[in-house]
Amino acid sequence: MDRELLKGSTPLLLLSLLCEGPMYGYQIIETVRQRTGGTYTLKEGALYPALHKLEATEFISSYWETQENGRERRYYSLLPAGQAFLTAKKKEWNQFVDMVQAFVGPRA
Amino acid sequence: MDRELLKGSTPLLLLSLLCEGPMYGYQIIETVRQRTGGTYTLKEGALYPALHKLEATEFISSYWETQENGRERRYYSLLPAGQAFLTAKKKEWNQFVDMVQAFVGPRA
DNA sequence: TTGACGGCCATCGTTTAGCGAGGCACATTG
DNA sequence: CAATGTGCCTCGCTAAACGATGGCCGTCAA
């Protein structure tokens, strides 16, 4: 998968995932990897900065949770503003796809 | 339209357009602007470098053509290698869309 | 005749996302 | 004890698109 194509889709992906419930970083990476059958492996260097940025803009929030074995995990959850932003992003995504499709032509 | 989303889609767009026949830079910009109803204005700073790169990799070729009024235009046309590349790019594009769609959910 | 406008090419510096590599810490397993 | 896996993170680099800018030339109105 071309890296350049992915650019800009990360926030949409993250917001969409968190819409299903709170998740922590490592879990997000694994989930994406598994759901795409290994096609797409979200990189840590892309994930964490994106997550922090989303948190800084108040679209998501985070909290630490201690597991039974004593280890910590940082969970992220969607905030109402993030929910709204996701809706807008989805719309934008659909427009974008339609736009490109108009030039590329319908799917084979 | 979010600029980040566009990243990486430019070569696909250009190749798709040139697949319909030779075009020159300014014409490409106008065509995109008109077909998208003004939603997307391809910028010169994105177009020309992209075109030159595509030419450097032998996916397209260019030739100057003189108009009746004596002015010159640089036309770009798709080469066989570019045709093949376009096919591959289209496939990749479809995979990408499917991937994102899988997380975002089906279209409203 | 001069000046504004539009067609047409192009480059340059900046921004920004993602990448790859690296680092740190702790748990489990062999 | 060592290796592997879980889990967080940052940093320097690459590369695409942006915005600004510049130049050239034709046309048409003032």
Side-chain angles (χ1 to χ4, degrees), chain A residues 27-84:
Chain A
Q27 182 187 12
I28 292 175
I29 291 176
E30 284 306 303
T31 303
V32 170
R33 208 175 51 76
Q34 285 174 21
R35 280 207 209 169
T36 60
T39 307
Y40 180 32
T41 300
L42 191 55
K43 306 305 187 316
E44 303 192 333
L47 173 68
Y48 290 109
L51 243 18
H52 297 336
K53 195 172 176 185
L54 248 18
E55 189 175 16
T57 47
E58 313 257 340
F59 289 146
I60 64 178
S61 68
S62 71
Y63 55 94
W64 289 90
E65 199 166 293
T66 309
Q67 312 174 57
E68 288 129 14
N69 58 17
R71 296 203 54 185
E72 305 245 29
R73 287 206 277 231
R74 169 119 101 156
Y75 279 85
Y76 293 89
S77 62
L78 196 60
L79 293 176
Q83 175 69 261

Side-chain angles (χ1 to χ4, degrees), chain B residues 11 16 20 31 38-39 46 55 68 74 83 101:
Chain B
S16 293
E20 302 173 16
T31 303
T39 308
E55 188 175 17
E68 288 129 16
R74 168 118 102 155
Q83 176 69 262
Q101 222 78 284

Side-chain angles (χ1 to χ4, degrees), chain B residues 14-62:
Chain B
L14 295 180
L15 260 11
S16 293
L17 270 175
L18 293 181
C19 195
E20 302 173 16
M23 296 181 83
Y24 57 95
Y26 190 85
Q27 183 186 13
I28 293 176
I29 291 177
E30 285 306 302
T31 303
V32 170
R33 207 175 53 75
Q34 285 175 21
R35 280 208 210 167
T36 60
T39 308
Y40 180 31
T41 300
L42 192 54
K43 305 306 186 317
E44 304 191 330
L47 174 68
Y48 290 109
L51 242 19
H52 297 335
K53 194 173 178 186
L54 249 16
E55 188 175 17
T57 48
E58 313 257 339
F59 288 145
I60 65 178
S61 68
S62 70

